[in-house]
């Protein structure tokens, strides 16, 4: 359960998790170890570039996530990090460097101000073949985790093989 009124930030790992894979679970476990908090996976029921997600697909993703970890899965209608921060302003968001790079693409000033004035921070994990680095980052309160055993897993690649 989310402690929305708590001073203790929630650990939130947002994504589509379509499908969830070993890389997602490794990042989640490392984030829990670093923060000493239980992780909540967050899936937006709308995708800013693809529209609404099929309810059966959401059920299957939730089933797959809960089958691998003791955690929670929350569904939101917040496809962007600006919306996620407004909805969950007391959170540590787990992101890959590729996600951090995309967060710089639109409404960067709004995002920076939201982060400055909320109890939000980020844990950023390096991704293989992602050219973005912390020296490129302009978003405050980003904690760089560095390398983990990224085996180059990608949900997109997994879906293309099925």
């Amino acid at each position: 359960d989310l402690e929305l009124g708590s001073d203790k930030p929630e650990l939130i790992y947002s994504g589509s998790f379509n499908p969830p894979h070993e890389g997602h679970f490794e990042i989640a476990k490392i984030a829990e170890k670093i923060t000493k908090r239980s992780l909540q996976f967050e899936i937006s029921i709308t995708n800013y570039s693809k529209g609404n997600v099929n309810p059966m697909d959401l059920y299957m993703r939730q089933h797959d996530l809960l089958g691998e970890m003791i955690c929670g899965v929350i569904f939101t209608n917040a496809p962007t990090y600006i919306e996620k921060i407004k909805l969950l302003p007391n959170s540590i968001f787990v992101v890959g460097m590729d996600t951090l790079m995309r967060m710089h693409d639109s409404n960067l000033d709004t995002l920076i101000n939201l982060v400055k004035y909320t109890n939000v921070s980020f844990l950023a994990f390096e991704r293989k073949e992602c050219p973005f680095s912390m020296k490129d980052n302009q978003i405050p309160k980003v904690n760089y985790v560095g390398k983990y055993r990224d085996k180059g897993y990608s949900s997109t690649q997994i879906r293309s093989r099925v």
Side-chain angles (χ1 to χ4, degrees), residues 6 27 30 32 40 48 55 70 78 83 88 101 107 119 121 129-131 133 138 140 153 155 162:
S6 170
I27 287 172
I30 292 169
E32 286 184 327
Q40 307 281 333
Y48 68 92
I70 298 171
E83 293 163 304
L88 304 164
M101 179 176 70
N107 297 316
N119 191 28
S121 62
E129 300 179 21
C130 178
S133 71
Q138 297 176 43
Y153 289 110
S155 294
V162 174

Side-chain angles (χ1 to χ4, degrees), residues 85-117:
I85 291 168
K86 287 178 181 177
L87 184 64
L88 304 164
N90 190 34
S91 300
I92 301 167
F93 287 98
V94 177
V95 296
M97 291 300 280
D98 55 331
T99 300
L100 193 63
M101 179 176 70
R102 286 191 302 273
M103 289 164 61
H104 283 75
D105 289 346
S106 64
N107 297 316
L108 182 60
D109 291 336
T110 302
L111 181 64
I112 288 170
N113 283 324
L114 271 174
V115 172
K116 281 182 184 176
Y117 299 109

Side-chain angles (χ1 to χ4, degrees), residues 31-153:
E32 286 184 327
K33 185 176 180 180
I34 289 170
T35 63
K36 297 178 177 39
R37 288 172 168 77
S38 295
L39 182 128
Q40 307 281 333
F41 288 100
E42 181 267 338
I43 302 173
S44 177
I45 62 171
T46 56
N47 182 301
Y48 68 92
S49 63
K50 300 174 189 167
N52 291 339
V53 181
N54 177 315
M56 191 61 183
D57 288 343
L58 291 172
Y59 170 79
M60 293 305 298
R61 292 179 208 176
Q62 178 183 32
H63 178 269
D64 292 345
L65 290 167
L66 294 175
E68 289 292 325
M69 292 187 65
I70 298 171
C71 63
V73 177
I74 57 174
F75 297 101
T76 68
N77 191 19
T80 69
Y81 274 90
I82 289 173
E83 293 163 304
K84 292 175 195 314
I85 291 168
K86 287 178 181 177
L87 184 64
L88 304 164
N90 190 34
S91 300
I92 301 167
F93 287 98
V94 177
V95 296
M97 291 300 280
D98 55 331
T99 300
L100 193 63
M101 179 176 70
R102 286 191 302 273
M103 289 164 61
H104 283 75
D105 289 346
S106 64
N107 297 316
L108 182 60
D109 291 336
T110 302
L111 181 64
I112 288 170
N113 283 324
L114 271 174
V115 172
K116 281 182 184 176
Y117 299 109
T118 58
N119 191 28
V120 163
S121 62
F122 299 90
L123 281 180
F125 286 78
E126 189 169 308
R127 292 292 312 267
K128 277 189 177 180
E129 300 179 21
C130 178
F132 193 80
S133 71
M134 284 304 292
K135 68 178 176 13
D136 302 315
N137 179 51
Q138 297 176 43
I139 300 170
K141 299 193 271 185
V142 174
N143 302 290
Y144 178 65
V145 176
K147 293 184 179 184
Y148 72 104
R149 292 185 312 234
D150 181 5
K151 297 174 184 163
Y153 289 110

Side-chain angles (χ1 to χ4, degrees), residues 1-18:
D1 293 331
L2 290 177
E3 299 176 37
L4 293 177
S6 170
D7 290 335
K8 178 180 152 187
E10 295 296 329
L11 183 61
I12 306 291
Y13 188 0
S14 298
S16 63
F17 307 108
N18 182 26

